[in-house]
Amino acid sequence: MLDIVFYLLAAIAVASAIAVIVVRDIFRAALCLILLFMTVAGIYLLLHADFLAIVQVLVYVGAISILIIVAIMLTRDARQGQPLGNLKYPAAFVAALLLGVVVFGIINTAFVTPDNAPLQETVKPLGKALFGDPGYLLTVEIAVVMLLSAILGA
């Protein structure tokens, strides 16, 4: 059953990634990007990486994608998109080369998965590190305030 869900999520991810490139309307391309980020979060859930799935949804879907959509909506003439430039053939070559390297790496990697390996929790140790006895919550909050002030200052 999990294999079927994985293949379904992978097919949706590949289709939405292709749609981000092919769709002429930049707003719809951003919506396809959100769908891609959501399917990646689903794949993280299948891998029992619940913290990564939550971060994927919060950071990429919740923040970056919304920022892209707001930037598109505030930009003039965003509905027309960008015309194809002179770099489409070199870009296609670099993309094909990158695809070849990724496929070569996947084929030649020995993925070792023990059959009865216990799953390790990810959220509870991170919560204990942030809110526990030594606690790094103040450090994280200071970093957030500094980033916010840098963004507002810019």
Side-chain angles (χ1 to χ4, degrees), residues 12 21 26 31 35 47 72:
I12 293 171
I21 299 169
I26 193 167
L31 292 178
L35 179 63
L47 293 172
I72 289 170

Side-chain angles (χ1 to χ4, degrees), residues 31 52 54 57 61 63 69 74-75 79-80 90 93 95 119 149:
L31 292 178
L52 283 178
I54 292 169
V57 170
V61 176
I69 288 177
L74 292 177
T75 305
R79 303 293 285 172
Q80 297 173 1
F93 174 73
L119 297 176
S149 62

Side-chain angles (χ1 to χ4, degrees), residues 44-56 118-131:
Y44 284 151
L45 284 176
L46 287 178
L47 293 172
H48 301 287
D50 47 353
F51 179 73
L52 283 178
I54 292 169
V55 168
Q56 176 79 19
L119 297 176
Q120 296 179 353
E121 294 181 357
T122 57
V123 176
K124 192 178 285 184
L126 287 171
K128 285 182 181 178
L130 283 175
F131 301 110

Side-chain angles (χ1 to χ4, degrees), residues 31-43:
L31 292 178
C32 291
L33 186 67
I34 291 174
L35 179 63
L36 173 65
F37 288 153
M38 290 297 289
T39 55
V40 169
I43 291 173

Side-chain angles (χ1 to χ4, degrees), residues 60-143:
Y60 286 102
V61 176
I64 294 176
S65 298
I66 300 304
L67 178 69
I68 290 172
I69 288 177
V70 167
I72 289 170
M73 291 171 61
L74 292 177
T75 305
R76 288 185 341 150
D77 298 330
R79 303 293 285 172
Q80 297 173 1
Q82 294 290 332
L84 291 176
N86 296 335
L87 297 176
K88 68 178 179 180
Y89 294 116
F93 174 73
V94 170
L97 184 67
L98 179 65
L99 177 66
V101 169
V102 169
V103 168
F104 178 77
I106 290 173
I107 289 173
N108 291 325
T109 301
F111 294 104
V112 179
T113 56
D115 293 333
N116 296 325
L119 297 176
Q120 296 179 353
E121 294 181 357
T122 57
V123 176
K124 192 178 285 184
L126 287 171
K128 285 182 181 178
L130 283 175
F131 301 110
D133 187 24
Y136 298 106
L137 184 63
L138 182 62
T139 310
V140 172
E141 290 296 326
I142 291 171

